Amino acid sequence: MCAMNMSLNWSTDNVCVLFDFWRINSGTSLLFSVVAVFFLGYLYESSRARVRQWEQAMAPTGTNESIGAERPLVGSIAVPTSVRWKRALFYGLLVAYSYSLMLIFMTYNGYLMLAVIGGAIAGHYSYSTESWGSVRGASCH
């Protein structure tokens, strides 16, 4: 049975990460888990950036509107249904991904919490270089 803590802890004994088969029960499994969680946080930021780039590539040429959370494409050319479905699918996948990171964070294991935060910081640094726009705060969706 997995250990379930509801307060901040630094345990390395029988901690489950998302699935029963992903357990931390030694220093080695902790190290691999921290690296994997860091990488998942990093890849989440990469995924967000790639979806933003795809959305911008789908915008009709000649529009000065940006597509995204800051300034949605409103009052101009309608977005085709096929693109709307793809955007909705990508959105749903990113929501599921972010909820998975949230569940890892909610193990309340300090090492894993720091790995999620570190991966998000590294990913944001790597993939948010295109403009001086406002920073979108992290949220589950």
Side-chain angles (χ1 to χ4, degrees), residues 2 8 21 28 37 44 60 62 82 84 100 107 130 133:
C2 297
L8 181 65
F21 63 82
T28 304
V37 169
Y44 175 72
S82 63
R84 288 180 61 204
S100 297
T107 62
E130 67 273 353

Side-chain angles (χ1 to χ4, degrees), residues 10 38 105 109-119:
W10 300 92
F38 180 92
F105 202 89
N109 184 287
Y111 300 112
L112 297 178
M113 293 168 79
L114 291 174
V116 169
I117 293 167

Side-chain angles (χ1 to χ4, degrees), residues 6-132:
M6 296 304 292
S7 61
L8 181 65
N9 67 85
W10 300 92
S11 177
T12 60
D13 185 33
N14 206 25
V15 177
C16 288
V17 185
L18 286 184
F19 306 102
D20 283 337
F21 63 82
W22 186 358
R23 288 181 191 253
I24 298 173
N25 49 21
S26 69
T28 304
S29 61
L30 173 67
L31 178 64
F32 284 121
S33 295
V34 165
V35 169
V37 169
F38 180 92
F39 192 61
L40 287 172
Y42 184 87
L43 285 179
Y44 175 72
E45 291 298 324
S46 170
S47 300
R48 281 184 50 206
R50 289 179 191 274
V51 168
R52 268 193 312 269
Q53 289 171 351
W54 175 82
E55 286 179 330
Q56 290 170 351
M58 290 294 107
T61 56
T63 60
N64 293 329
E65 304 269 350
S66 68
I67 299 174
E70 294 83 23
R71 289 181 43 203
L73 186 60
V74 175
S76 84
I77 301 169
V79 179
T81 302
S82 63
V83 173
R84 288 180 61 204
W85 275 112
K86 288 176 185 173
R87 285 174 67 189
L89 176 66
F90 289 143
Y91 176 78
L93 291 172
L94 285 176
V95 167
Y97 196 162
S98 66
Y99 280 163
S100 297
L101 287 173
M102 178 198 63
L103 289 173
I104 292 171
F105 202 89
M106 288 181 65
T107 62
Y108 298 106
N109 184 287
Y111 300 112
L112 297 178
M113 293 168 79
L114 291 174
V116 169
I117 293 167
I121 290 170
H124 187 76
Y125 177 81
S126 296
Y127 294 104
S128 66
T129 60
E130 67 273 353
S131 70
W132 280 95

